[in-house]
Amino acid sequence: MRFFVTGEQNRQLLINSLILMFLAYVALLWISNGLMYFHKMNLTPESVVSYYSGNEQEFNEPKSYQSLLEVSHFHLFAMGMLVLTLTHLMLMTSLPTLMKVWISAIVYAAAIADEAAGWLVRYVDPAFAYFKIAAFLLLETSLFLLIVIVSLSLIESRRQLR
């Protein structure tokens, strides 16, 4: 009874709706992230090396230290906030705790690996292009998984509230 008198059911529906809208927004971010990657590179190591280390035939300059630093500065903050938010929302789902821990660890590792990989290709060894491709794919997959898990959990809780 208190649940209806205090209006908690309305607040729960509102927060549920806001989170679903946020997830739709994140889905657009996820799509644009993939489109940006494939605009610059593809899933071949040669394209990754060409993007980061330059390519004379295509008149591509190597990525400068400052360019990589500026991208990393923004990405480390933005991806950190995104991953924190999505993993926090996942904690409120009914997934087993061990699965939540693994998914969280994987998405954080993927985000850091994806950011570090460009630096490694450019300044350590072009063979890290394979690492960049794997990190990108793991990041995109884990973000997609988080979006789906949280969305399905919220949709199910909306069904139960009705």
Side-chain angles (χ1 to χ4, degrees):
M1 184 67 161
R2 180 184 65 78
F3 187 74
F4 291 101
V5 171
T6 62
E8 288 180 48
Q9 83 281 4
N10 292 331
R11 278 184 291 202
Q12 191 168 358
L13 280 172
L14 179 59
I15 192 76
N16 190 307
S17 298
L18 291 173
I19 293 170
L20 283 170
M21 287 186 271
F22 170 75
L23 291 170
Y25 188 83
V26 172
L28 293 174
L29 175 90
W30 178 82
I31 291 167
S32 69
N33 190 46
L35 291 173
M36 284 177 50
Y37 178 91
F38 287 111
H39 179 72
K40 301 171 187 174
M41 301 172 271
N42 56 46
L43 297 178
T44 63
E46 297 79 25
S47 71
V48 174
V49 172
S50 176
Y51 177 74
Y52 285 103
S53 299
N55 183 326
E56 288 183 19
Q57 290 83 11
E58 296 176 10
F59 302 104
N60 289 342
E61 291 287 323
K63 292 295 168 204
S64 69
Y65 172 83
Q66 178 157 350
S67 172
L68 288 173
L69 185 60
E70 286 174 0
V71 169
S72 291
H73 177 72
F74 176 76
H75 281 184
L76 288 171
F77 175 76
M79 287 304 291
M81 294 303 292
L82 176 65
V83 170
L84 173 67
T85 303
L86 289 174
T87 54
H88 181 78
L89 291 171
M90 181 197 52
L91 292 179
M92 296 177 202
T93 68
S94 61
L95 287 177
T97 301
L98 187 59
M99 187 178 288
K100 291 176 186 177
V101 169
W102 274 104
I103 292 170
S104 296
I106 288 168
V107 73
Y108 273 99
I112 292 168
D114 187 57
E115 198 56 45
W119 288 91
L120 294 171
V121 171
R122 174 69 178 98
Y123 290 109
V124 177
D125 192 313
F128 278 106
Y130 292 98
F131 180 69
K132 172 63 179 172
I133 294 165
F136 167 74
L137 292 173
L138 183 60
L139 179 60
E140 285 290 284
T141 302
S142 59
L143 288 175
F144 180 75
L145 183 64
L146 283 171
I147 293 167
V148 169
I149 288 169
V150 175
S151 296
L152 291 177
S153 176
L154 287 170
I155 290 167
E156 180 58 31
S157 76
R158 285 180 76 98
R159 262 192 224 128
Q160 291 174 2
L161 286 173
R162 290 181 183 165

